[in-house]
Amino acid sequence: MTTSLRIGLAGLGTVGIGTYKILAGQADMLRDRCGRPLEVVAVSARDKSKDRGVDLSDVRWADSVHAMARDPDLDVVVEMIGGADGDAYDLVRDALDHGKHVVTANKALIATHGVELARRAEEKSLTLAYEAAVAGGIPIIKSLREGLVANKVSRIIGILNGTSNYILTTMEETKRPFEDVLSEAQALGYAEADPTFDIDGTDAAHKLSILTSIAFGAEVAFDAVRCEGIEQISPLDFQYAAEFGYRIKLLAIAEEGEGGLLQFVHPTFVPAETPMADIDGVYNAVVVEGDAVGRTVYEGRGAGEGPTASAIVADIADVARGQAQPVFLTPVAKLQPYRQGDFDARRGKFYLRLSVKDRPGVIAQISRILADRDVSIESILQKGTEADGAVVVVLMTHQSSEKAIADALAGIEALDDVMQPSCRIRVMEL
Ligand code: HSE
C-alpha cells in the first residue's frame, strides 16, 4: 500500500483552516493526483479551545512548535504562523534540522532568513517551498522556477499587495477616506493583523526580494529594496491621474540598472490602457520579461483564504510527488552576492503635487529650480484656491533622473511659499 504524506499544520488562522479544508475536502482528488494520500496528522495553534468551524477531533495537537518540529511521525511541516522571527523561524529551522520538508506562506521569513534556511534545506536535500508567500494564488514561483527556467530575466513588475491595491481601487471608485477603506480590507481578511506592512510597502518589498532572487540568481536582499507606501496618496491624485490618462498602482519592480540590480516599491502612475492598470481590488499581477519568452503576464487573487491555501497545497503536492527543487532555483551555493545598482541614475517621468501660496512668481521660482537640475516640465496644472489660501500645483516632468528630482524637490520644499508635504509619484511609460 502507498504510504501517506504525513502533514503537520502550524497556525490555524484563516490560511491554516483554508488549507485544512482543501486537504480534507479534496482528499480523494489530491490522492489520485499526487499518487498517495495527503494526511493531516498534527496541528498546532495558540488557542486549542477556539471554535474554528472545522472538525479537528481526529488530529493530534502538538503542544508547541518545537514539539511539531521534532515529531517523528511527520514528513512535512506547514508553517502558517507569520512573522520573520519567533515561533515561525524556530519551527522552520528546527523542522529542517530534524529532516522534515517545510512549506511556508511566510514572505517576511523567506525575505529575511531565506538564504540561511535554504542552505539548511539543500544540505539535507529537503524541500523548502513558499509559493503562497508571493502573490497569493498566482503560481509565480513555479512559473519562474519551472516554466521560465530557460530565460535570463531582465525585469519583473508586480502588484504584489492585495490590501494596498484594494485600498487604492476603492478610494478611487468611492472617494472614501483611506482609514475607512483600510478597516474594510481588514474585515475582509486581506490585510495583515498589523496593516503597517501592507500600507508602507514592506509586504510588497518582502515578496519582490524573493522574486528577485529567483529571477536574477542573486541572494535575497530585502534591505536593498527602495520602498515607498501609499500613505501619501490623496483623493486629488486619483483625479489628476485620470486627467493625465493614468491610474495609480503600488508597483514592485526589479530590473537590471547601472552597475547592478535595482529593486523598487512605489506608487506609480500606470497608463490607463495597459493591463496592469486594470488589476483591481485584492487581485495581484506579475509581469516577467525574459530573453527567450519575451513578456509574460500573470494575474490572480493575491490574498485571502482560498487563494493562499491553493498555493500551499500545490507545494505540499510537490513534496508528496518527491519533486524537490533548489529553494531559489539557483542552488544556494551558486547564488551570486547581491550587486546594488545606482538608484540615483534611474530615469523616468515624475508627477509632482505641490501645495503653494497663491502669490505672483511662485511658479517661476519652481520652474527655475527644476531647470537648474535639468528637469524639463511636460505639463503643469493649477486649479482653484483652498480655504487656507494655498493652491495645488501639479507638474508632469519629462524623463529625469531620480537624483535630479530629489534635489529639485528639496529645493522647492525649502521655498517660503511652498507648503509641505509635497508628493512625488513615478510614471510608468509604455
Ligand atoms: N496582506 C497581504 C496582501 C496578504 O494584502 O497582499 C497576502 O500576502
Side-chain angles (χ1 to χ4, degrees):
M1 184 173 132
T2 324
T3 54
S4 308
L5 181 78
R6 298 164 306 169
I7 302 163
L9 302 180
L12 292 176
T14 309
V15 174
I17 291 300
T19 301
Y20 181 81
K21 281 190 206 159
I22 293 181
L23 290 171
Q26 303 295 347
D28 292 347
M29 178 187 82
L30 289 167
R31 180 203 57 221
D32 293 344
R33 291 183 176 180
C34 299
R36 59 197 286 207
L38 309 184
E39 189 187 349
V40 178
V41 171
V43 293
S44 83
R46 231 176 295 157
D47 182 359
K48 191 171 171 180
S49 60
K50 187 173 166 184
D51 179 7
R52 295 177 168 86
V54 291
D55 180 10
L56 295 169
S57 52
D58 287 344
V59 184
R60 194 151 40 78
W61 277 81
D63 288 335
S64 67
V65 295
H66 299 283
M68 184 171 275
R70 289 166 169 77
D71 188 335
D73 289 334
L74 295 180
D75 303 306
V76 56
V77 166
V78 185
E79 184 276 306
M80 296 167 289
I81 300 166
D85 295 291
D87 278 354
Y89 173 72
D90 291 347
L91 172 66
V92 171
R93 187 201 53 213
D94 288 1
L96 292 170
D97 287 349
H98 286 82
K100 296 182 195 340
H101 303 286
V102 172
V103 170
T104 176
N106 190 333
K107 56 260 167 164
L109 176 78
I110 298 298
T112 311
H113 300 295
V115 173
E116 174 226 321
L117 294 170
R119 197 164 283 125
R120 285 176 193 266
E122 288 176 22
E123 274 168 9
K124 296 191 167 204
S125 301
L126 293 167
T127 292
L128 170 59
Y130 49 86
E131 183 65 72
V134 182
I138 303 175
I140 188 63
I141 307 291
K142 213 176 226 315
S143 300
L144 283 168
R145 279 204 299 217
E146 297 177 21
L148 299 179
V149 70
N151 288 265
K152 269 181 88 86
V153 173
S154 54
R155 188 154 68 144
I156 291 182
I157 306 171
I159 293 175
L160 298 179
N161 183 266
T163 304
S164 56
N165 202 48
Y166 177 84
I167 291 171
L168 290 174
T169 308
T170 309
M171 281 178 74
E172 182 187 24
E173 276 170 6
T174 65
K175 300 182 174 58
R176 278 160 56 207
F178 176 84
E179 289 74 18
D180 186 11
V181 179
L182 171 60
S183 307
E184 187 176 276
Q186 286 177 289
L188 290 167
Y190 304 149
E192 304 298 315
D194 173 358
T196 313
F197 283 3
D198 290 310
I199 304 313
D200 72 5
T202 304
D203 180 78
H206 281 143
K207 296 167 179 170
L208 179 71
S209 65
I210 295 169
L211 294 182
T212 304
S213 176
I214 301 169
F216 294 92
E219 290 180 355
V220 185
F222 161 65
D223 289 341
V225 183
R226 186 166 279 195
C227 185
E228 287 175 19
I230 61 169
E231 311 93 323
Q232 53 159 346
I233 305 296
S234 98
L236 261 185
D237 296 318
F238 294 104
Q239 202 180 305
Y240 286 117
E243 284 192 33
F244 285 116
Y246 296 92
R247 297 189 70 199
I248 303 173
K249 300 288 166 194
L250 184 70
L251 292 191
I253 302 167
E255 62 194 15
E256 290 282 1
E258 266 188 45
L261 293 172
L262 297 177
Q263 300 183 88
F264 286 92
V265 171
H266 52 61
T268 312
F269 271 30
V270 177
E273 65 271 33
T274 55
M276 279 313 235
D278 288 335
I279 307 302
D280 283 337
V282 74
Y283 276 78
N284 281 192
V286 187
V287 173
V288 181
E289 294 171 359
D291 59 349
V293 74
R295 174 175 279 213
T296 57
V297 185
Y298 311 81
E299 180 191 343
R301 287 181 193 273
E305 176 182 315
T308 312
S310 164
I312 288 173
V313 174
D315 280 343
I316 296 172
D318 275 350
V319 174
R321 299 185 195 109
Q323 290 170 343
Q325 304 258 2
V327 177
F328 294 107
L329 174 60
T330 305
V332 73
K334 295 195 171 174
L335 284 176
Q336 298 296 309
Y338 188 82
R339 286 174 307 115
Q340 177 64 64
D342 183 356
F343 280 121
D344 287 345
R346 188 194 194 215
R347 294 182 69 77
K349 287 168 64 165
F350 291 80
Y351 157 94
L352 307 176
R353 171 172 47 80
L354 311 167
S355 183
V356 307
K357 287 187 194 145
D358 197 2
R359 290 201 186 133
V362 181
I363 300 288
Q365 285 178 296
I366 293 169
S367 306
R368 195 166 313 117
I369 290 174
L370 289 166
D372 286 348
R373 272 83 181 173
D374 216 17
V375 176
S376 171
I377 299 170
E378 184 181 282
S379 44
I380 183 163
L381 289 176
Q382 178 187 324
K383 289 189 184 171
T385 308
E386 293 178 342
D388 57 1
V391 286
V392 173
V393 174
V394 162
L395 295 153
M396 188 70 85
T397 74
H398 282 295
Q399 284 255 343
S400 312
S401 72
E402 288 277 339
K403 171 134 179 52
I405 292 291
D407 288 350
L409 265 185
I412 289 168
E413 286 176 349
L415 294 173
D416 286 343
D417 289 337
V418 174
M419 289 119 154
Q420 300 258 17
S422 55
C423 170
R424 168 196 53 186
I425 303 179
R426 292 160 183 89
V427 178
M428 178 178 166
E429 291 175 80
L430 288 172

